[in-house]
Amino acid sequence: MKKVKIALLGLGNVGRGVWTILKENQEEIAKRSGFKVEIAKILVRDKSKQRGVEVPENIVTTDFNDILNDDSIKIVVEVMGGIEPAREYMLQCMGKKKQIVTANKMLIATGGDELFHKADREGVRFNYEASVAGGIPIIQAINESLTGNKIEQLYGIVNGTTNFILGKMQLEGSKFDDILKEAQAKGYAEADPTSDIEGFDAQYKLAILASLAFGTKVAVEKVYREGITNITEVDMEYAKTFGMVIKLLAIVKDTDGKLELRVHPTMIPETHPLANVYDSFNAVFIKGNAVGDLMFYGRGAGDLPTGSAVVSDIVSIIRNNIEFDNTNLVVKNNLWNKEIMDVGQVKSKYYIRLTVDDRPGVLGDITAILGNQDVSLRSVIQKGEIKNEEKVDLVLVTHLTREDNINKSLEEIKKLDAVKSIDNLIRIEDFEN
Amino acid sequence: MKKVKIALLGLGNVGRGVWTILKENQEEIAKRSGFKVEIAKILVRDKSKQRGVEVPENIVTTDFNDILNDDSIKIVVEVMGGIEPAREYMLQCMGKKKQIVTANKMLIATGGDELFHKADREGVRFNYEASVAGGIPIIQAINESLTGNKIEQLYGIVNGTTNFILGKMQLEGSKFDDILKEAQAKGYAEADPTSDIEGFDAQYKLAILASLAFGTKVAVEKVYREGITNITEVDMEYAKTFGMVIKLLAIVKDTDGKLELRVHPTMIPETHPLANVYDSFNAVFIKGNAVGDLMFYGRGAGDLPTGSAVVSDIVSIIRNNIEFDNTNLVVKNNLWNKEIMDVGQVKSKYYIRLTVDDRPGVLGDITAILGNQDVSLRSVIQKGEIKNEEKVDLVLVTHLTREDNINKSLEEIKKLDAVKSIDNLIRIEDFEN
């Protein structure tokens, strides 16, 4: 059987997954690819570190040049993470006509262009399935399986930590802080959970997905971002009364030729396929003008699921023959140059929860302000029970309206004497617009 | 821009979808593929037939040789359906080194091998994404994205008609017959619905999916098959009390190196991602030894969703360059030669509904018979209300047990004087084994 030599840059979590899969499933991979895949070199920083997998000493190196200058190594797999030296190493390997596979979300989201162009110039493949949504083959789906479509909308649950927390809050009625601690204990959340719970991780991933789905460059900072720390048991309960659940969604829509890009907690109908995505699972829901609704669900992280994506990228390169000079090796994300919509222009439906004095006229004052901003209400819930003294919960659900108009309304509403606090604002997506 | 000429064999439902997509989305497709795709010829049986799309008269032909002998046509798209002459036409086109795309489920399921081998010998691509689950890129996912995995289990909702009917029964409490009529009126069900409601359609699709997922030949008739005509409102209600819903699942599992293959109504937990697949949607749930749980959801039929799959196959051929001689052009399904398990050996949990006399000792007699067959019960529900005279509903839910043992038990139970009828037997899948 023919053999192809590859090298790993890094042997952390994902690297271990790749090593394990190539070892455990080597027979399957050989049968399916037609080649025996041999890991010929692994770059590490510290040879003495324990890594939980048994790797022959003679293939581990601390010198990148051992890999760069070994012409028998045809594919280099970057699983070290971070911007540098990962970026520099990949560029150099491309210069040596090595094919590249990477799992590097941050690098693709922020510096992907340079790498795409270099790969294009050198005529090498550059695959990055593992950079978004772990084991879910969403990059392949967008780049290869939806090529007959204009993608119109994409909704992703792309952060497992926040999905785990929100799911537990919903199903068990527990509090955010308690579940965050549980998630940290289980290893689902980092010691510093900011990147996850404030939506930064989802923001990076949405930038990548949006740029691929819409063939346009998307700067990470153009994505509106809101985390889940404001979501309380009370909001979960109200959502339930509406037949809804709350998920942190990464959303991109083509609206009148402009892209709206946002990451925020969202109420969605409990019968929608995204609603049954629990635990630390990820899912990406896509509307295409030919295919209609499509959803992909799976593990968004973990050594083996992410390793699964990396290995499929390796096999894809092998199958498409590493000697073959193809002009379409790199799927380009600069086919169009779409304008990004200002978040204030985005239309949504809203859930607004306030604490107000329990006296006549309050609701009238509030609806008058909303009416002035063209915001119309679909429903109002005023709970009879008094929270403390004479204050009550007031929950408003609006029809479709512009974010700017909501913000202006809330500025005014805040000034009303009878309004004690605006407790939450959650966007509602019923997938009807 | 470079141009590639293709031909369609057939201009029915799917053909119209392909035509519409290639016209409506031509700019996207050109940008993404690097080629302008031109439909140069369309084979039809009757030129005068109205088809709901405007096709230039000069490209329509009734003579297959116009396509076969036109060397400028590089890709032939078979969307005529049926076994012959589709099979013969594709074989001849392969002989002329034309690349082939087909949407032909029945042909792939029953005569796929001959076509795979011919494509392999001729060195042409043979793509058939549209043959299963319409717009869902499940073939691509299995063949390309899960190459690092041993797939262990696959569960599909692959028939839209039955899913529409079961969903309505569950959500609206309506009767099977009434919904079937509604489905027929909406065009979701055929005038003769046998192929759908008796599970034949799902049986074909499972044969294809199983052969790809497990790299082994699967004869359609080896798939155990049961339709949904026995499912009543009463079963739906009981399922609900257990926190479950009923779906027609196509299941293949690798159990001790043997494949179990079956299509039947199945109770699954209402929080499982497959449970929220409603309307005429399809979904395929896969467990891989690296990737873990994965699900793909989308439209399983319809001109545009199916057309979307066909067009992605066309673009895939173009991207992989039609002049390129690759040894792995055709993904083979004969990598292993797995044994198919006899359905009697399959293990499942079971829901059994009986009508029995309301007198002491009946339950004892039944559990004694079950005990003799090593069938143990997880729960028993005996409804207090009397159905008519002295008869009551008795519902049994078993632990994991062998199908043979259930069948033998039921033979015995049927003979009991107090047992008036065995009303239903539904398998339960809680995804825990």
Side-chain angles (χ1 to χ4, degrees), chain B residues 254-273:
Chain B
D254 187 335
T255 304
D256 308 326
K258 290 187 189 177
L259 290 191
E260 45 175 283
L261 288 155
R262 44 202 172 98
V263 168
H264 54 62
T266 316
M267 286 193 190
I268 60 172
E270 63 190 6
T271 51
H272 192 275

Side-chain angles (χ1 to χ4, degrees), chain A residues 250-280:
Chain A
I251 301 174
V252 52
K253 295 186 190 183
D254 187 334
T255 305
D256 308 325
K258 290 186 190 179
L259 291 190
E260 45 175 285
L261 288 156
R262 45 204 173 96
V263 169
H264 53 64
T266 316
M267 285 191 190
I268 60 172
E270 63 190 8
T271 51
H272 192 274
L274 282 169
N276 261 7
V277 178
Y278 287 111
D279 205 70
S280 63

Side-chain angles (χ1 to χ4, degrees), chain A residues 5-44:
Chain A
K5 285 191 183 180
I6 73 169
L8 305 186
L9 306 182
L11 191 56
N13 191 28
V14 180
R16 272 197 306 277
V18 174
W19 172 268
T20 306
I21 292 169
L22 287 175
K23 203 175 146 189
E24 292 286 318
N25 295 347
Q26 60 179 318
E27 193 194 340
E28 276 75 14
I29 293 164
K31 287 214 182 197
R32 289 192 187 269
S33 69
F35 282 76
K36 184 175 178 329
V37 181
E38 181 193 329
I39 300 182
K41 289 260 161 45
I42 303 179
L43 180 69
V44 300

Side-chain angles (χ1 to χ4, degrees), chain A residues 127-354:
Chain A
N127 289 356
Y128 48 96
E129 181 62 79
S131 67
V132 178
I136 305 176
I138 186 66
I139 308 270
Q140 168 100 349
I142 294 174
N143 284 349
E144 305 291 336
S145 301
L146 297 176
T147 43
N149 285 264
K150 267 185 218 169
I151 294 177
E152 295 166 341
Q153 302 176 2
L154 181 152
Y155 305 83
I157 294 173
V158 289
N159 180 269
T161 308
T162 47
N163 199 56
F164 175 84
I165 294 172
L166 291 173
K168 284 265 185 182
M169 287 179 75
Q170 177 204 323
L171 295 174
E172 298 173 6
S174 336
K175 278 185 199 300
F176 176 82
D177 289 334
D178 297 340
I179 304 169
L180 176 57
K181 274 179 206 135
E182 187 192 334
Q184 285 170 322
K186 284 198 176 181
Y188 287 177
E190 308 275 336
D192 175 0
T194 312
S195 165
D196 292 322
I197 64 176
E198 295 296 356
F200 290 101
D201 175 72
Q203 192 185 28
Y204 279 111
K205 290 168 178 168
L206 182 60
I208 298 176
L209 290 176
S211 76
L212 294 173
F214 293 92
T216 198
K217 285 185 199 177
V218 174
V220 173
E221 58 277 11
K222 292 277 186 180
V223 178
Y224 174 79
R225 177 195 51 75
E226 222 175 83
I228 65 162
T229 53
N230 284 334
I231 304 296
T232 66
E233 321 85 84
V234 181
D235 302 309
M236 285 286 171
E237 273 303 311
Y238 277 113
K240 200 173 176 179
T241 26
F242 303 135
M244 298 214 146
V245 301
I246 302 175
K247 299 286 183 190
L248 182 71
L249 289 195
I251 301 174
V252 52
K253 295 186 190 183
D254 187 334
T255 305
D256 308 325
K258 290 186 190 179
L259 291 190
E260 45 175 285
L261 288 156
R262 45 204 173 96
V263 169
H264 53 64
T266 316
M267 285 191 190
I268 60 172
E270 63 190 8
T271 51
H272 192 274
L274 282 169
N276 261 7
V277 178
Y278 287 111
D279 205 70
S280 63
F281 278 92
N282 281 198
V284 179
F285 189 90
I286 288 175
K287 276 179 195 280
N289 75 338
V291 77
D293 291 352
L294 209 53
M295 190 177 87
F296 303 86
Y297 164 100
R299 288 274 171 209
D303 53 353
L304 293 177
T306 310
S308 164
V310 169
V311 172
S312 77
D313 274 350
I314 296 170
V315 172
S316 167
I317 289 173
I318 295 173
R319 278 221 187 119
N320 289 290
N321 199 315
I322 51 185
E323 315 299 341
F324 176 49
D325 183 26
N326 184 319
T327 53
N328 279 289
L329 286 174
V330 180
V331 175
K332 294 177 188 67
N333 71 347
N334 57 351
L335 305 176
W336 286 269
N337 201 352
K338 294 243 184 202
E339 201 176 326
I340 311 290
M341 192 183 274
D342 184 82
V343 71
Q345 299 302 305
V346 167
K347 280 183 179 176
S348 181
K349 295 169 187 175
Y350 296 84
Y351 153 100
I352 307 164
R353 181 163 60 82
L354 315 98

Side-chain angles (χ1 to χ4, degrees), chain A residues 373-433:
Chain A
Q373 291 291 340
D374 284 329
V375 178
S376 66
L377 292 178
R378 194 169 64 178
S379 62
V380 175
I381 299 181
Q382 184 159 352
K383 278 249 178 112
E385 315 123 47
I386 286 163
K387 285 170 80 171
N388 54 51
E389 294 173 7
E390 305 291 87
K391 295 175 192 63
V392 290
D393 256 1
L394 178 65
V395 169
L396 310 173
V397 175
T398 76
H399 284 294
L400 203 64
T401 185
R402 211 174 284 275
E403 181 112 356
D404 269 346
N405 298 44
I406 285 290
N407 289 337
K408 280 181 205 152
S409 304
L410 292 181
E411 282 307 307
E412 293 298 307
I413 289 169
K414 224 182 264 176
K415 291 177 193 155
L416 292 175
D417 260 5
V419 173
K420 295 310 157 196
S421 56
I422 296 174
D423 301 317
N424 219 337
L425 174 81
I426 302 178
R427 290 160 195 85
I428 297 173
E429 180 63 62
D430 55 14
F431 302 93
E432 282 169 9
N433 46 282

